[in-house]
Amino acid sequence: MPIALQPSSTWTCLKDISRAQMHGYPERLQPKMMLRKAQCLVTLGRLQEASQIISDLESNFTARQTLAAPQFQALQSTLCRLKMKVQEKENLTETFPAALTNAFEDMNLREESEQISGASPSVSLCTDPLKGRCLIATKDILPGELLVKEDAFVSVLNPGEMPPLHYGLESKRDTRVANGDLYCHRCLKHALAMVPCDGCSYAKYCSQECMQQAWDLYHSIECSLGGLLLTLGVFCHVALRSTLLARFEDVGKVIRKLCGEISNKDLCLPESKNLVQTLSYDPGEESEKNGKTVEPSIPGCDTNGKYENNYNAVLHLLPHTKNHSPEHKFLCALSVSALCRQLEAANLQTLTASLESSQPKAAVGPAMCQELHIWGVAMLRHMLQLQCNAQAITTIQQTGSEENIVTDSRQVRLATGIFPVVSLLNHSCSPNTSVSFISTVATIRASQQIGKGQEILHCYGPHENRMGVTERQEKLRSQYFFDCNCLACQKEKPRAAAGPPWEAFCCNSCGELMQGGDVLSCGRASCTESASRDHLVSRLQDLQQQVGTARKLLRNGKLERAIQLLLGCQHDAESFLSAEHSVVGEIEDDLARAYATLGDWQKSATHLQKSLRVVEVRHGPSSVEMGHELFKLAQVFFNGFAIPEALNTIQKAEKVLLVHYGPWNDEIQELQKMKSCLLDLPVGPPV
């Protein structure tokens, strides 16, 4: 049982110890476990509880002689050191919990907008005849300023890819791990020891509390549907869960809105008196209060004009029904029908009973089970909404074994969620915000200076630094049903003959960029070199295949062979690719990784700096991609004891990452630890 140094992991460790005690942890190992518990309590500053456990252990060691002599001596030695640590901490004036509280206060909005929940007062909600709803800056906004901090109205963990079984292990026990085994199915926190649902084999949680909350909110219904939901997909699961959460709000208003979506009233069970009343509901009735006419509010806002993170806001997200293909609408309707049939078969009586017993906020009418078709309409609406309004919740995953000193990190789609406030942001291929996630919470920060009155914009995926204007327009039109007219698209012409530097070919004779269509010619007037585009594309594909082979060698620990192959790829790339080509950057990055694994930090830094130049040309000096690369370079300089270079790079990385993530990002925390360590070392030549 490892002792965790981070506060969040220490809390997890304490909960694991409590569960171990509840489930009959072996008595002979109890002293060791209680010692671990005392260490956790000391880390959290709960010194009085830790002192009591230490006292009990001392009495236990005196009374019991069952422990083997070497084991007894090791435990007693650890106990003595822990006792001294408690005495030292008791003399400190500031305890850890107070510092932790201050840290979390800095992560929150200092002040919230009166118009939009979870948003800064620097943001206002407006409508535009062409764009619809949009967010506008109410004042000049500086880079890094926190604009929105919103918890997902609903989120569903993506099952994730299951790694293939190794050859010859098919008959053995399957021990493969996917997202569902690593992250809490309610709050999405990474957990070391998951608490499985008692009723199904899929849902797992970080704690007993999370499991109970999920059960009360939605899992009591979802539990028996696990296999069907996995088959139908995440969007169908999000649609169901959104509808289940609607039960905890004004259900009468929800039903009235849904019935308004149904053009044929015969579909709404006219024999139900309750439903007949809802069908005759006139939206104009709510526009008069106390004899005064209330102006129509922005869609999704309440009668007071406030836009909140609730089901009303979710319901007003556009489904774009007319834009979806008939095939897509048919599949969505078929999925919802299958789900409704399964729910109907389950009779849903447990749903009403559980709500009445454990959730006083739930206002589900007695006719809900009879009105399942209405909730089916809601699920179908949500499925149609999701193509344009679903938000990918991402996280950084580290891969690599404990034996390797170099690990891989990659951004993965952890879950799919609906964020009503984030959905208000319109798209730009050159956005002025950055979005990051902590568990189910989305944080939006200004990535550049935004002037008063300017629109606050987010990138839906197609970014000017990743693809050309034609490709971006096609993707946005097919998924989001609009033609982008952002500044990047207005100023960018269709791909020039040479293409951007990160995709361009260069002349083998003089190094100038090649231009043209099917036949490329050197851009230098004095050079007569030419080449077929197909020939150069074929060379590029062969080169990428060689790089892929080198990466396999790296993963298998065959470093020398990988380096030789990569150096050959580097030489080949120089003869026909631009110096800023993305493949050139990938080769340099792989070489940096290989040399770092060998412990040759100087060579690693040299290649990483070349890769850094490619990233800067493509994404810009203040981009989040640049921040991640600077973080890697800082680690290399740190490990090589290149103190001045490391401190300089740490400062640059912090400046960039703070804008995009704020001060409590994991990488920023590590940078600060490295800086603190380096400042205590004498300056000398790198090793």
Side-chain angles (χ1 to χ4, degrees):
M1 187 188 305
I3 289 299
L5 299 178
Q6 296 298 324
S8 57
S9 300
T10 305
W11 282 107
T12 303
C13 188
L14 279 176
K15 291 178 181 178
D16 290 345
I17 290 171
S18 297
R19 288 205 298 271
Q21 289 176 308
M22 289 170 55
H23 291 84
Y25 195 72
E27 187 177 352
R28 61 185 178 82
L29 298 176
Q30 286 281 349
K32 182 180 178 181
M33 185 175 69
M34 294 308 294
L35 188 59
R36 298 286 191 268
K37 183 174 182 179
Q39 289 173 309
C40 289
L41 291 170
V42 171
T43 301
L44 292 172
R46 292 160 59 175
L47 304 180
Q48 188 172 354
E49 296 172 69
S51 297
Q52 182 60 51
I53 292 176
I54 290 171
S55 177
D56 293 343
L57 283 172
E58 287 179 326
S59 302
N60 185 287
F61 287 170
T62 303
R64 295 174 58 186
Q65 299 296 327
T66 56
L67 293 172
Q71 184 182 10
F72 175 78
Q73 291 174 0
L75 287 175
Q76 199 161 39
S77 175
T78 304
L79 186 64
C80 291
R81 289 197 300 271
L82 189 61
K83 191 173 182 180
M84 292 174 60
K85 193 171 184 179
V86 170
Q87 292 171 351
E88 291 173 2
K89 277 184 169 280
E90 284 175 341
N91 297 326
L92 297 177
T93 56
E94 182 181 5
T95 60
F96 174 78
L100 184 65
T101 302
N102 293 334
F104 278 102
E105 283 177 355
D106 290 339
M107 294 172 65
N108 296 323
L109 290 165
R110 297 179 186 275
E111 188 179 353
E112 187 174 281
S113 167
E114 295 181 359
Q115 186 190 19
I116 313 167
S117 68
S120 160
S122 305
V123 175
S124 67
L125 175 59
C126 303
T127 56
D128 181 272
L130 297 177
K131 297 180 178 179
R133 297 175 298 182
C134 54
L135 297 182
I136 303 295
T138 60
K139 69 176 188 64
D140 291 339
I141 296 172
L142 297 174
E145 185 173 333
L146 180 59
L147 303 179
V148 175
K149 185 175 183 182
E150 181 185 25
D151 199 352
F153 174 79
V154 62
S155 63
V156 172
L157 185 73
N158 284 6
E161 296 181 3
M162 184 70 78
L165 278 170
H166 292 292
Y167 179 77
L169 297 180
E170 291 83 355
S171 61
K172 296 184 179 180
R173 186 175 180 181
D174 189 351
T175 58
R176 292 174 295 172
V177 176
N179 283 347
D181 305 304
L182 300 173
Y183 296 91
C184 176
H185 286 225
R186 192 195 75 83
C187 71
L188 305 182
K189 289 180 181 176
H190 187 274
L192 301 174
M194 304 292 280
V195 181
C197 168
D198 294 331
C200 68
S201 60
Y202 178 65
K204 304 177 184 69
Y205 305 94
C206 64
S207 65
Q208 196 76 27
E209 293 78 11
C210 258
M211 182 173 71
Q212 187 61 49
Q213 288 175 20
W215 182 265
D216 293 340
L217 289 171
Y218 47 77
H219 192 64
S220 56
I221 308 301
E222 295 178 355
C223 189
S224 62
L225 305 173
L228 178 61
L229 289 171
L230 284 171
T231 301
L232 295 177
V234 171
F235 274 18
C236 196
H237 198 164
V238 172
L240 170 64
R241 190 169 290 182
S242 299
T243 309
L244 293 175
L245 292 173
R247 304 168 298 153
F248 297 87
E249 297 186 20
D250 186 345
V251 175
K253 185 181 291 185
V254 171
I255 291 179
R256 289 194 293 271
K257 170 68 178 174
L258 293 172
C259 285
E261 297 289 320
I262 304 175
S263 57
N264 185 356
K265 294 184 180 182
D266 293 336
L267 293 176
C268 290
L269 290 182
E271 66 270 20
S272 170
K273 294 182 180 179
N274 179 48
L275 223 48
V276 170
Q277 292 175 356
T278 62
L279 284 171
S280 61
Y281 163 73
D282 178 13
E285 291 178 3
E286 285 192 358
S287 65
E288 294 185 5
K289 290 187 178 181
N290 300 324
K292 297 181 180 180
T293 301
V294 179
E295 292 294 327
S297 62
I298 297 175
C301 295
D302 60 22
T303 54
N304 297 317
K306 184 167 185 179
Y307 189 91
E308 299 199 63
N309 180 315
N310 58 20
Y311 189 72
N312 179 52
V314 172
L315 205 58
H316 280 85
L317 297 174
L318 293 178
H320 295 283
T321 308
K322 294 181 180 179
N323 298 109
H324 291 290
S325 68
E327 294 82 4
H328 178 73
K329 287 185 280 192
F330 174 75
L331 287 174
C332 289
L334 190 64
S335 298
V336 170
S337 297
L339 202 52
C340 286
R341 289 291 296 271
Q342 191 73 19
L343 289 168
E344 190 176 25
N347 201 7
L348 291 188
Q349 292 179 352
T350 54
L351 179 150
T352 306
S354 66
L355 288 173
E356 290 175 351
S357 63
S358 62
Q359 291 293 332
K361 289 178 64 179
V364 178
M368 179 174 177
C369 294
Q370 302 170 12
E371 298 164 357
L372 180 60
H373 62 293
I374 296 277
W375 300 99
V377 171
M379 284 188 276
L380 181 56
R381 179 182 177 87
H382 296 322
M383 284 200 72
L384 296 175
Q385 288 172 332
L386 285 168
Q387 179 168 316
C388 296
N389 294 286
Q391 177 68 52
I393 300 174
T394 59
T395 187
I396 301 294
Q397 280 188 350
Q398 304 287 341
T399 59
S401 64
E402 293 181 359
E403 292 79 15
N404 294 332
I405 60 175
V406 178
T407 60
D408 291 322
S409 63
R410 63 189 181 108
Q411 187 180 66
V412 296
R413 182 170 187 151
L414 181 60
T416 299
I418 296 179
F419 297 83
V421 176
V422 174
S423 293
L424 295 173
L425 289 165
N426 284 321
H427 167 81
S428 171
C429 299
S430 180
N432 52 22
T433 61
S434 282
V435 180
S436 59
F437 298 92
I438 301 176
S439 298
T440 58
V441 177
T443 300
I444 297 176
R445 294 180 181 273
S447 59
Q448 57 186 257
Q449 189 164 344
I450 305 173
K452 180 180 179 181
Q454 285 186 323
E455 186 175 0
I456 296 165
L457 299 164
H458 168 45
C459 180
Y460 292 178
H463 195 285
E464 66 170 341
N465 290 334
R466 287 190 284 272
M467 57 186 75
V469 62
T470 303
E471 186 181 358
R472 297 200 308 267
Q473 293 280 4
E474 289 175 356
K475 287 185 175 293
L476 291 167
R477 195 177 297 118
S478 63
Q479 181 172 351
Y480 297 99
F481 313 119
F482 72 90
D483 293 315
C484 185
N485 195 36
C486 70
L487 291 175
C489 289
Q490 290 179 34
K491 71 180 182 181
E492 183 182 346
K493 297 177 182 179
R495 279 280 158 95
W502 58 86
E503 290 182 2
F505 298 108
C506 73
C507 175
N508 187 34
S509 298
C510 65
E512 191 71 24
L513 295 184
M514 303 286 282
Q515 298 178 357
D518 293 338
V519 177
L520 298 175
S521 302
C522 180
R524 180 173 293 178
S526 59
C527 183
T528 59
E529 191 77 18
S530 64
S532 163
R533 181 182 291 274
D534 289 342
H535 171 68
L536 293 176
V537 169
S538 177
R539 283 189 65 184
L540 176 60
Q541 291 172 346
D542 291 341
L543 178 64
Q544 288 172 319
Q545 189 174 2
Q546 291 295 311
V547 172
T549 302
R551 286 175 182 161
K552 288 181 183 178
L553 292 171
L554 274 176
R555 286 194 296 270
N556 294 330
K558 299 175 181 178
L559 301 178
E560 296 295 343
R561 286 178 59 192
I563 289 172
Q564 290 303 315
L565 185 55
L566 285 169
L567 289 173
C569 291
Q570 181 192 50
H571 183 265
D572 188 23
E574 289 172 353
S575 66
F576 75 106
L577 295 181
S578 158
E580 291 84 23
H581 198 286
S582 58
V583 173
V584 172
E586 291 170 11
I587 293 171
E588 297 295 347
D589 188 77
D590 289 335
L591 281 167
R593 179 181 304 278
Y595 283 118
T597 305
L598 288 173
D600 192 336
W601 302 108
Q602 277 190 326
K603 284 187 178 179
S604 178
T606 299
H607 289 288
L608 198 53
Q609 284 171 310
K610 293 179 181 178
S611 171
L612 198 67
R613 284 194 287 273
V614 176
V615 173
E616 183 174 2
V617 168
R618 181 168 186 178
H619 298 285
S622 301
S623 63
V624 66
E625 291 85 359
M626 191 67 175
H628 292 312
E629 292 301 306
L630 285 168
F631 172 75
K632 285 161 54 177
L633 183 60
Q635 288 181 310
V636 169
F637 281 138
F638 176 85
N639 286 309
F641 291 98
I643 298 174
E645 293 86 349
L647 289 172
N648 182 46
T649 308
I650 287 170
Q651 184 179 6
K652 291 179 181 178
E654 278 184 319
K655 184 178 179 181
V656 175
L657 292 173
L658 277 169
V659 168
H660 296 281
Y661 294 118
W664 303 110
N665 171 261
D666 289 341
E667 289 185 349
I668 292 174
Q669 293 290 300
E670 185 169 342
L671 287 168
Q672 291 174 348
K673 290 176 183 176
M674 287 193 290
K675 181 172 29 175
S676 176
C677 180
L678 290 171
L679 290 173
D680 292 334
L681 295 174
V683 178
V687 177

